[in-house]
Amino acid sequence: MPAVLSPAATSGVLGPAAHPQALASATAGSTEPHLTFSLVVHKTPGCPLGIDVTYSSAATWTRNGVFVARVFEDGIVAEWNAKSEEPRRVRPGDFLFQVNHVHGDPLAVIQEMKVKQTLTIHILRRTASPLVPSAPLPQAHGNNEDDGGGGCGG
């Protein structure tokens, strides 16, 4: 069974709003333009979230979430991307600053993605890609206990 994606949640205007403090922390000290959007996904058994994330402590604002290091071709996020239009497709370098009501703690954000079935993921994209480290956090891959095999969707 494919993951259920909510098309109504493609931006902060249409989808659920991020916590004001989470957004303020993610945009702190920046005068450059940025894009924020939200996606709502429902995880299904055997279908990984399909992203690797990484952490950076290079700037104060980057300590409040995690960066997308990789989007795999097979996974719930790839399904979201296939049904979405640019610029609201998740891509490497995007900053996940809140998941559901969790923000401000990168490990708590990762844990939320692992344990909850329904995820509202709030993303910030700065026009100039910032300080993204190259090594993903090992516990963040796939967000599922399976080995990544098998398909999502159908």
Side-chain angles (χ1 to χ4, degrees), residues 42-126:
H42 305 281
K43 297 189 317 190
T44 56
C47 189
L49 193 53
I51 59 174
D52 272 345
V53 299
T54 189
Y55 171 78
S56 172
S57 61
T60 302
W61 69 270
T62 65
R63 298 177 194 140
N64 294 304
V66 293
F67 287 94
V68 175
R70 181 175 175 191
V71 178
F72 293 90
E73 292 179 16
D74 191 23
I76 295 169
V77 172
E79 286 181 20
W80 168 267
N81 282 349
K83 296 177 180 179
S84 300
E85 294 183 15
E86 286 294 348
R88 290 177 171 88
R89 289 184 178 146
V90 180
R91 59 187 187 210
D94 285 351
F95 186 66
L96 282 63
F97 65 93
Q98 180 177 332
V99 176
N100 297 337
H101 298 290
V102 177
H103 59 89
D105 179 350
L107 293 177
V109 166
I110 292 168
Q111 187 63 22
E112 186 78 0
M113 288 190 291
K114 285 184 169 198
V115 301
K116 297 295 171 99
Q117 291 305 112
T118 300
L119 303 173
T120 300
I121 302 172
H122 298 277
I123 293 179
L124 169 79
R125 181 179 302 146
R126 294 188 179 211

Side-chain angles (χ1 to χ4, degrees), residues 10-65:
T10 57
S11 73
V13 175
L14 297 174
H19 187 280
Q21 182 59 47
L23 184 57
S25 295
T27 58
S30 176
T31 57
E32 67 187 52
H34 61 272
L35 167 74
T36 58
F37 64 99
S38 301
L39 56 141
V40 177
V41 295
H42 305 281
K43 297 189 317 190
T44 56
C47 189
L49 193 53
I51 59 174
D52 272 345
V53 299
T54 189
Y55 171 78
S56 172
S57 61
T60 302
W61 69 270
T62 65
R63 298 177 194 140
N64 294 304

